[in-house]
């Protein structure tokens, strides 16, 4: 079928003007599925509305709903030319916002929250579809809730997705342009769920993998993966090529441009992923594929809200079962470990999901002394750092010599050096690395 996947993020559909601009990017001869996020700010607003409802603050929720609805009314007025399409647009907005308002009168749980969170992508895709209709550009809207599914472990159910997506596609032979929602899915019970914040990237990569697409293009508001986080350092440059492993590492450790696990499906099926800028389509962007990078540092990223756990036991001395006992506790509580360092009598590790921390801490305390530190950040330095070359770790340590480091991890792969530090030092550390590893003149 050879369908290209093009995903556009929140800012790329963030206003009527942007939506019109999008049309120019998707209308060409290549058959494709266009995956859209919600308009920028929408998912945050829907989270806020849900927070009000969870706290039983109906008035707060209603005010926020009205504010968001007005934004959509304005978009409809600006997006459509003809009366007929303006009416269709307003009717769509009315339906979705009446639906959202209906949750203000009843009990509200996380289940209802997920239904509310799904409205953003449903709105953006339908508005774009109507816009193409008005411009007489043929397109088909594919309902993601008919084929996107996660299993009981919250992992994509690839077999289900492939079967049901292909069924949906086969209903529209000859169609060149499909549109679908990113982020939203159903769970193992058939309920509406999502792929976590930023999940539209993940949708795109999953679709690319199940369809063996020629490429997945992720269009956003910046010209590709940069060497450092542009939100915190003043000078950065785009990286033209990244290997799958480098990109996966950067995404997982906080490079916001990509959802943490979205590279994995594309990597498993060897599908190239392009990161492109909607505002500057002619810029090269970043190509993520299977390739052998040159030696050296490529980029750094930071991940916040990390919790460090130190586990100390006299029994570890020569006790080969100790680490297993520790890992089993994390496994039982389905809590992934990100970083780990050991000494003869102690092990330190980090987690970012603290939902089971109390239980984990209690079980660890039965075999060891446990200390927990919150508000930590992992800084991940990615590149090709061959084991037989001297100096990479030294350069990183030298750059960060004035910052207290809680943990250091090197040698897990040839791809990364990670350090853990208190989040108050994060920005300073990113700036120092920008200066010492990439030669930028950062004010620290
Ligand atoms: P979208 O809404 O299109 O999904 P996101 O806001 O999720 O866009 O991701 C793009 C943003 O990621 C950029 O505007 C930039 O501020 C941020 N970002 C963080 N780290 C990086 C990086 N290393 N390279 C590029 N962008 C980054
Ligand atoms: N709209 C969702 C979010 O804001 C998904 C995404 O944009 O990728 O997280
Ligand atoms: Mg995103």
């Amino acid at each position: 079928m050879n369908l290209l996947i093009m995903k556009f993020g929140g800012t790329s559909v963030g206003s009527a003007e942007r939506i019109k601009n999008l049309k120019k990017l998707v209308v060409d001869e290549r058959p494709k599925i266009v995956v859209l996020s919600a308009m920028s700010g929408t998912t945050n607003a829907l989270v806020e509305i849900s927070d009000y409802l969870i706290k039983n603050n109906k008035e707060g929720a209603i005010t926020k709903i009205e504010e968001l609805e007005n934004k959509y009314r304005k978009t409809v007025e600006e997006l459509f030319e003809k009366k007929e399409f303006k009416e269709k647009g307003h009717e769509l907005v009315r339906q979705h916002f009446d639906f959202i308002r209906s949750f203000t009168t009843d009990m509200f749980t996380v289940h209802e929250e997920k239904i509310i969170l799904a409205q953003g992508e449903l709105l953006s895709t339908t508005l774009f579809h109507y816009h193409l209709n008005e411009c007489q550009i043929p397109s088909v809207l594919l309902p993601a809730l008919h084929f996107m599914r996660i299993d009981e472990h919250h992992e994509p159910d690839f077999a289900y997705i492939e079967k049901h997506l292909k069924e949906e596609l086969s209903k529209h032979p000859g169609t060149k342009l499909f549109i679908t929602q990113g982020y939203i899915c159903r769970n193992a019970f058939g309920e509406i769920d999502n792929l976590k914040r930023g999940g539209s990237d993940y949708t795109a990569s999953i679709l690319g993998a199940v369809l063996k697409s020629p490429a997945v293009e992720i269009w956003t508001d910046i010209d590709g993966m940069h060497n450092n986080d542009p939100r915190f350092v003043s000078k950065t440059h785009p990286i033209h090529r990244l290997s799958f492993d480098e990109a996966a590492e950067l995404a997982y450790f906080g490079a916001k441009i990509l959802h943490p696990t979205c590279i994995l499906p594309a990597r498993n099926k060897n599908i190239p992923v392009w990161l492109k800028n909607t505002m500057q389509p002619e810029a090269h962007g970043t190509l993520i594929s299977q390739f052998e990078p040159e030696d050296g540092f490529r980029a750094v990223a930071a991940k916040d809200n990390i919790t460090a756990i130190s586990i100390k036991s006299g029994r570890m001395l020569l006790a080969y079962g100790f680490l297993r006992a520790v890992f089993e506790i994390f496994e039982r509580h389905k809590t992934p470990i990100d970083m780990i360092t050991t000494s003869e009598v102690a092990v330190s590790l980090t987690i970012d999901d603290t939902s089971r921390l109390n239980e984990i801490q209690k079980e660890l305390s039965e075999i060891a002394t446990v200390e927990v530190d919150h508000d930590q950040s992992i800084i991940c330095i990615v590149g090709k750092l061959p084991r037989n070359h001297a100096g990479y770790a030294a350069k990183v340590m030298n750059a960060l010599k004035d910052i207290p480091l809680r943990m250091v991890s090197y040698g897990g792969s040839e791809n990364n050096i990670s350090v853990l530090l208190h989040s108050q030092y994060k920005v300073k550390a990113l700036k120092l690395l920008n200066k010492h590893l990439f030669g930028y003149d950062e004010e620290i």
Side-chain angles (χ1 to χ4, degrees), residues 7 9-10 37-38 43-44 121 182-183 196-201:
K7 176 261 169 177
S37 296
T43 311
N44 284 345
E121 272 68 13
Y183 176 61
K196 308 231 171 84
R197 295 305 304 271
S200 299
D201 302 335

Side-chain angles (χ1 to χ4, degrees), residues 7 9 37 198 201 220 256-259:
K7 176 261 169 177
S37 296
D201 302 335
T220 180
K256 188 188 174 237
I257 186 169
L258 288 173
H259 173 281

Side-chain angles (χ1 to χ4, degrees), residues 183-200:
Y183 176 61
I184 65 175
C185 62
R186 289 190 186 274
N187 61 25
F189 309 104
E191 299 159 341
I192 292 183
D193 212 316
N194 61 60
L195 301 174
K196 308 231 171 84
R197 295 305 304 271
S200 299

Side-chain angles (χ1 to χ4, degrees), residues 44-108:
N44 284 345
L46 295 171
V47 168
E48 239 183 276
I49 291 164
S50 303
D51 283 347
Y52 279 128
L53 292 175
I54 284 168
K55 292 181 187 127
N56 214 4
N57 180 346
K58 289 189 182 153
E59 275 178 19
I62 287 171
T63 311
K64 193 73 206 171
I65 294 170
E66 256 170 42
E67 198 183 292
L68 189 63
E69 182 171 9
N70 287 338
K71 188 180 148 190
Y72 276 87
R73 297 240 167 258
K74 186 166 166 270
T75 306
V76 166
E77 282 300 317
E78 291 169 2
L79 182 61
F80 300 107
E81 304 278 323
K82 298 191 185 106
K83 188 162 169 273
E84 172 203 349
F85 280 93
K86 280 191 200 284
E87 277 172 12
K88 262 180 90 159
H90 282 302
E91 175 57 20
L92 176 81
V93 170
R94 193 187 61 73
Q95 277 173 12
H96 281 273
F97 282 89
D98 280 354
F99 183 55
I100 295 172
R101 254 186 296 273
S102 73
F103 290 94
T104 59
T105 55
D106 239 331
M107 212 180 72
F108 198 81

